Amino acid sequence: MRGALLRIASFLIAACAGTASALPTFNEVRADFRPSDTLILSREGEVLQRLRTDATVRRGQWVPLADVSPALRQALVLSEDKRFYEHSGVDWRAASAAAWGNLWNQRTRGASTITMQLAGLLDGDWRQGPGGRTVVQKLGQTVAAQVLDRRWRKDQILEAYLNLVPFRSELVGIDALSRTLFGKAAHGLDDREAAVAAALVRAPNARPALVAQRACGVLRDMQQRPHAPAARVDCDALDLFTTAALQRRAFDTSEGVAPHFARYLLRQQFKDGAAVPERVPTTLRAPLQRFAAQTLQQHLRELRGRNVEDGAVLVLDNATGAVLAWVGSSGQLSQASEVDAVLALRQPGSTLKPFLYAHAIAERRLTAASLVEDSPAQITTAAGLYIPQNYDRQFKGWVSVRTALAASLNVPAVRTLVMVTPDAFHRQLVAAGLPLRESGDYFGYSLALGSPEVPLLHLTNAYRTLANGGRLSPVALQEAAKQRFTPALDARAAFIVGDILSDGNARARTFGTDSVLATRFWTAVKTGTSKDMRDNWAVGWSERYTVGVWVGNASGAAMHDVSGTSGAAPIWSALMGFLHARAPSRAPKAPAGLVQAAVRFGAVAAEGAPAPQPLEAARQEWFTAGTEQAVFAIDSGAASAYGQSARGQNDSKSFAARITSPASGTVIALDPDIPPTRQRLQFTATGEGLRWRMDGKPLGQGARVAWLPWPGRHVVQIVNARGQVLDEVRIEVRGAGAVTPPPPPRRN
C-alpha cells in the first residue's frame, strides 16, 4: 500500500514537473503583455493619446521594477512573502506552520509565496477556483514556483507579479491600480498608498473597512524600526483614506490631445476584430496638434458672448495626404465634446463656390475675366421664384469672375450655376470627393451657396485637390506607400481658381485690403457661412499644406454676429503662420495650356452719352488657351436688356407704375458672411414721382431705394404724391445675428 502511494506521488510530481518545465521566460511574458489601452503616437514618437480598447479588463502599461516606489515593494514583501529573497520559490517554514495550524484548526496565514502566486497567474491550471485548489494544483504550483525561481531572477519575479496580479474589480497590475485609485504613477506611491495596495492583493474585493484594517497592519510593519518601539499608526485616518481611494476613478478611458483622431484611426485601421497593437504610430505632428487645439480654444474663448462653443481643425500635407493635425472639438468649452466635428455633416456655405467656377472655366463657359452681373435675380423653379441676395451695401453691378469669386458674391454664383446646371455641378463635387447623398435636382440652385451637408474632412481634402492641380487622393492616417492620384478637376481651371483665391485685391470689395485672410506668404483661401449663421468655415492651402477650420455649435444653434473673417478665419491664419514660421510658400507654376494676357474692362456708352468709367482696372489675367481676349465690355443697351432675371429677360413695364423687384411673396435670407448692419436690399420700380413705404412708414423716393433688411414679414408699397397706393408687394426676411432693431428711416 505504501509503495503504491509512493508510485502515485512520484507520478504526480513527474507530471507536474513536465508541465512546469513549459513555463514561459520572463522576456516571453513581457512580450505577451497587452495593456487595455492603446497609445497613439505622433510621427516623432511622442504619445498623443491613450485610448482604452479592451473593455473586459483595466490593465495599464507594463511598469519596470525600477519605476515602482520602494514603499510598495516593501509593503508587498511584508504582506505577502516576508522571506521572498531567502527561499527558493517555496517557503517551507511557512508551509510547515500552515500545515501545523490546520492540524490543530488554528487560523494561520497561507503559505503561498509571491513566486507560487505568479506561477498561478502564468498557468491557469494552477489558479485557485471557487472551492480552493486541489492537491494536484497545489503540488503543480509548488513545483512550478521552484522552476521559476531557478530560471528567473528575484527582481523579474517581483516585476512580473506586480504587473499581472489582480487588485480590485477589473483592475489588473500596479499601473492600473495606482492611476485609478491614487491618480498617479506607480513610482509616486507613498507608505499609506502602498499599504492599501498590498492589502488589496490579499482581498481584492473586500469591504473598504476590511481593506483598511489590513492596510493598517501592513503600515505598522513598514514603519517598524529595529530596536525601536512600534510606531503609532492612525488607523481611523487610514480608514477614511482607504474608503475615499476605493471610490476614486481617476484613470480616464481616454487621455491626450487627439481623442477624436485616435478613435477614427482605430475604426479605420483595425476593423473586423483585428488585434490592436499596444502602440500605433501616426502621421500627426505633436507640436502642431497641440498648437491647433490651443489656438481653437483660445479663439473660441475670445468669441464668448456670441454663442459659439464648438470648432474643429484639420491640417493635411498636400503631397502625401498625411493628416498632420486633427482637432475634433473644443474640449471643455463644448457641451458635446465627444462629437467629432471633423466628421460631422454641416452646411459648407460659400466654400463650394471655387468648385463651381472651376467647372465653368473648365467647360469654357467663363474665364476669370468674364463679366457677370451682381444684381437682383429672380429664377423660376418648380417651387416658385428663387431670389438670391448679397445684402451688402449695394449690388456691385457687372463684375469679373475673379471679383465675384474672391469677394464671395452670391448672385453671380447662382447665375453661373444656371449656366452649368445643378446636376453637372453635383457630379463635379462628387468627383472632388464630397459625399453628397442627394442629387443635384434635389438641391437646385441653392447648391451654389452650399446647401448640402459635408464633413470638414472631405471638404478640406477637396481643397487639397485644388492645391494638387485637380488631382484627388485619400487622406493618410499612417505612413504609407506613395499616394495614387486620380484626376478630379481640370488642372488649368484649378490653377486659375487658386490664383483668384490668393488675390487680396480681388477680395477687397467684401473683405478689405487688410483682412485676416492676407498672409505674408502665398496662400489661397475661401470662407463660408451657412444659413442663419450656424456654421462658419475657412479653408485654404499653401504650397505644402491645406488647412480647414470650422466653428459653430454642435447643437445647430445660430451664432451671434460672427462673420466670415471673425469666426474661423483667425484660426486658419494662425495655423498657416505656425506652419510657415520657417518654411516659405511660393505660388504654383502654371500648367501647360494656360496663357497670361493683358485685359481691360469697360462699358460701351449709348449714343450721345458720356463715356462710362471702366468696370475694373486693367490687369494681366490667366486664360485657358483659346479663350483669351483683350477687352471685356458691356453695351449699355445689352445691360438694360439683361433685366432682373437670370435668363436675361426684362419683365418690367415702363408704361405702368409698379414694383419690379422683389416679387411679392419673396422669402429673403440674410447673408451670414456679412455683418447685418452692412446689408442692403434694393427695391426697384417703374414710374415717375414715386414714394416708397415700408409697413406704412416712409422709406424713400425715386425708382430705386435701398433698405436695411430686418427679420419678419413686411409690406412694401409705392405711392404717388397724393398718397394713393400704386403697387405693393409682401416679403419675408429670415436670418440671425441682429441684436438691436434698425434705426427709423430718415425723412427726405
Side-chain angles (χ1 to χ4, degrees):
M1 184 69 178
R2 184 177 180 182
L5 291 175
L6 288 174
R7 285 194 296 272
I8 293 173
S10 300
F11 173 77
L12 290 175
I13 293 173
C16 293
T19 306
S21 64
L23 284 170
T25 64
F26 173 80
N27 291 333
E28 290 172 339
V29 171
R30 173 66 185 90
D32 290 340
F33 180 84
R34 289 291 177 268
S36 59
D37 298 336
T38 295
L39 301 181
I40 305 299
L41 309 180
S42 70
R43 61 174 54 199
E44 301 91 354
E46 182 177 336
V47 177
L48 288 179
Q49 190 69 36
R50 176 184 52 77
L51 189 66
R52 184 171 181 179
T53 51
D54 186 351
T56 63
V57 70
R58 196 72 171 105
R59 187 185 290 117
Q61 301 297 311
W62 183 279
V63 180
L65 188 61
D67 292 337
V68 176
S69 75
L72 178 58
R73 283 180 272 169
Q74 179 191 12
L76 188 65
V77 171
L78 288 174
S79 174
E80 293 299 305
D81 192 353
K82 292 183 179 180
R83 284 179 287 276
F84 170 72
Y85 291 102
E86 302 169 13
H87 61 65
S88 59
V90 179
D91 188 348
W92 296 109
R93 190 191 308 176
S96 301
W100 185 259
N102 289 334
L103 179 64
W104 295 98
N105 293 322
Q106 295 176 349
R107 295 191 60 184
T108 61
R109 182 199 175 282
S112 179
T113 64
I114 289 176
T115 313
M116 293 171 67
Q117 293 179 51
L118 177 61
L121 295 172
L122 296 178
D123 193 325
D125 290 340
W126 301 321
R127 198 164 298 163
Q128 182 172 330
R133 291 186 180 88
T134 66
V135 174
V136 175
Q137 285 180 314
K138 291 180 179 179
L139 187 60
Q141 186 185 32
T142 301
V143 174
Q146 295 179 84
V147 173
L148 274 177
D149 195 81
R150 287 197 303 269
R151 296 181 179 177
W152 292 26
R153 300 193 310 268
K154 290 288 186 180
D155 62 315
Q156 293 177 332
I157 293 172
L158 190 56
E159 179 177 322
Y161 180 77
L162 282 167
N163 283 282
L164 299 178
V165 64
F167 279 98
R168 187 172 184 84
S169 186
E170 63 175 358
L171 301 178
V172 173
I174 188 57
D175 188 49
L177 174 82
S178 58
R179 293 186 184 278
T180 301
L181 301 190
F182 308 119
K184 60 175 66 173
H187 65 75
L189 298 184
D190 58 24
D191 286 357
R192 285 194 310 173
E193 294 160 342
V196 172
L200 286 171
V201 172
R202 184 90 57 88
N205 296 310
R207 291 178 292 106
L210 181 58
V211 175
Q213 179 182 347
R214 289 177 172 169
C216 188
V218 174
L219 190 57
R220 284 198 185 100
D221 291 341
M222 293 174 64
Q223 295 182 353
Q224 186 175 0
R225 300 290 184 267
H227 310 295
R232 184 179 181 278
V233 176
D234 189 345
C235 291
D236 291 336
L238 186 59
D239 189 359
L240 294 175
F241 173 79
T242 303
T243 302
L246 296 181
Q247 295 174 348
R248 192 177 298 123
R249 291 292 181 269
F251 196 18
D252 295 332
T253 58
S254 184
E255 184 181 26
V257 294
H260 302 89
F261 174 82
R263 287 193 286 266
Y264 180 76
L265 169 67
L266 297 184
R267 287 198 305 270
Q268 295 297 312
Q269 304 296 93
F270 304 99
K271 301 177 181 178
D272 304 324
V276 181
E278 179 180 343
R279 295 171 175 262
V280 179
T282 71
T283 58
L284 292 183
R285 289 184 180 176
L288 177 62
Q289 178 71 18
R290 286 192 294 268
F291 179 81
Q294 293 167 1
T295 302
L296 175 64
Q297 291 186 359
Q298 177 182 344
H299 185 65
L300 291 182
R301 287 190 179 96
E302 293 173 0
L303 292 178
R304 186 173 297 171
R306 300 192 188 185
N307 197 37
V308 188
E309 67 177 30
D310 291 301
V313 173
L314 184 69
V315 181
L316 303 177
D317 184 282
N318 290 342
T320 65
V323 176
L324 305 180
W326 178 310
V327 182
S329 84
S330 58
Q332 296 179 350
L333 301 180
S334 172
Q335 297 183 38
S337 59
E338 294 300 311
V339 175
D340 189 350
V342 173
L343 302 176
L345 293 171
R346 311 291 301 203
Q347 286 190 327
S350 296
T351 58
L352 296 187
K353 289 176 183 175
F355 304 97
L356 172 62
Y357 285 106
H359 188 70
I361 291 172
E363 290 191 336
R364 300 190 172 214
R365 296 179 182 273
L366 293 173
T367 70
S370 296
L371 294 173
V372 290
E373 191 178 18
D374 181 32
S375 65
Q378 300 177 3
I379 303 172
T380 303
T381 69
L385 289 177
Y386 176 60
I387 305 177
Q389 298 286 344
N390 288 320
Y391 297 141
D392 203 347
R393 289 185 180 273
Q394 59 183 2
F395 287 98
K396 307 297 188 296
W398 291 95
V399 296
S400 68
V401 165
R402 176 175 288 272
T403 298
L405 173 56
S408 195
L409 303 179
N410 286 345
V411 178
V414 175
R415 285 193 162 117
T416 300
L417 183 57
V418 172
M419 290 188 291
V420 169
T421 75
D423 269 343
F425 182 38
H426 180 274
R427 289 192 295 271
Q428 177 63 86
L429 293 174
V430 172
L434 295 178
L436 304 185
R437 296 178 292 184
E438 308 292 345
S439 66
D441 285 340
Y442 175 85
F443 298 109
Y445 295 115
S446 67
L447 190 60
L449 306 183
S451 58
E453 294 180 329
V454 299
L456 177 64
L457 174 63
H458 294 81
L459 182 63
T460 306
N461 197 42
Y463 269 72
R464 175 175 158 260
T465 300
L466 290 170
N468 284 322
R471 300 177 304 140
L472 172 68
S473 73
V475 300
L477 310 178
Q478 294 181 289
E479 297 293 343
K482 187 177 180 180
Q483 284 276 15
R484 291 187 177 182
F485 289 91
T486 57
L489 285 160
D490 182 86
R492 298 164 298 181
F495 174 86
I496 292 174
V497 164
D499 186 68
I500 293 173
L501 295 181
S502 68
D503 189 345
N505 292 327
R507 73 168 75 99
R509 288 199 178 189
T510 296
F511 300 101
T513 56
D514 58 346
S515 165
V516 69
L517 301 175
T519 56
R520 58 181 176 79
F521 43 87
W522 187 91
T523 54
V525 61
K526 184 73 185 71
T527 62
T529 310
S530 68
K531 183 177 66 174
D532 292 338
M533 214 173 292
R534 289 188 172 93
D535 308 279
N536 188 253
W537 310 74
V539 192
W541 70 93
S542 64
E543 182 181 8
R544 296 180 56 186
Y545 309 105
T546 299
V547 177
V549 180
W550 168 84
V551 298
N553 293 295
S555 64
M559 298 173 283
H560 300 160
D561 194 23
V562 177
S563 67
T565 55
S566 64
I571 303 171
W572 177 89
S573 179
L575 284 166
M576 276 297 183
F578 182 87
L579 289 165
H580 290 284
R582 295 179 178 83
S585 177
R586 305 177 182 86
K589 295 181 180 179
L594 284 180
V595 295
Q596 194 173 29
V599 297
R600 57 188 178 88
F601 302 87
V604 180
E607 186 175 351
Q613 293 293 323
L615 296 173
E616 294 186 10
R619 62 172 181 259
Q620 292 287 319
E621 189 58 271
W622 288 101
F623 297 92
T624 300
T627 64
E628 66 271 20
Q629 63 186 65
V631 179
F632 289 81
I634 296 296
D635 186 277
S636 59
S640 62
Y642 194 92
Q644 304 301 324
S645 72
R647 296 183 177 185
Q649 299 173 346
N650 191 337
D651 299 325
S652 63
K653 299 178 181 179
S654 59
F655 55 83
R658 63 185 296 267
I659 298 174
T660 57
S661 176
S664 188
T666 298
V667 177
I668 300 159
L670 292 173
D671 190 333
D673 267 337
I674 301 173
T677 56
R678 297 191 60 185
Q679 303 187 33
R680 296 294 186 274
L681 175 62
Q682 300 289 330
F683 297 117
T684 59
T686 59
E688 301 293 335
L690 301 180
R691 299 183 181 184
W692 294 83
R693 289 181 181 174
M694 169 66 67
D695 298 328
K697 298 179 181 180
L699 180 64
Q701 297 181 5
R704 180 185 293 268
V705 66
W707 173 62
L708 176 66
W710 183 251
R713 293 185 173 90
H714 306 280
V715 178
V716 184
Q717 298 173 325
I718 52 174
V719 300
N720 58 21
R722 297 188 299 275
Q724 294 176 322
V725 177
L726 304 178
D727 194 12
E728 76 173 28
V729 296
R730 295 177 182 270
I731 63 173
E732 181 180 355
V733 177
R734 299 175 183 173
V739 294
T740 57
R746 294 181 179 179
R747 296 180 182 273
N748 294 330

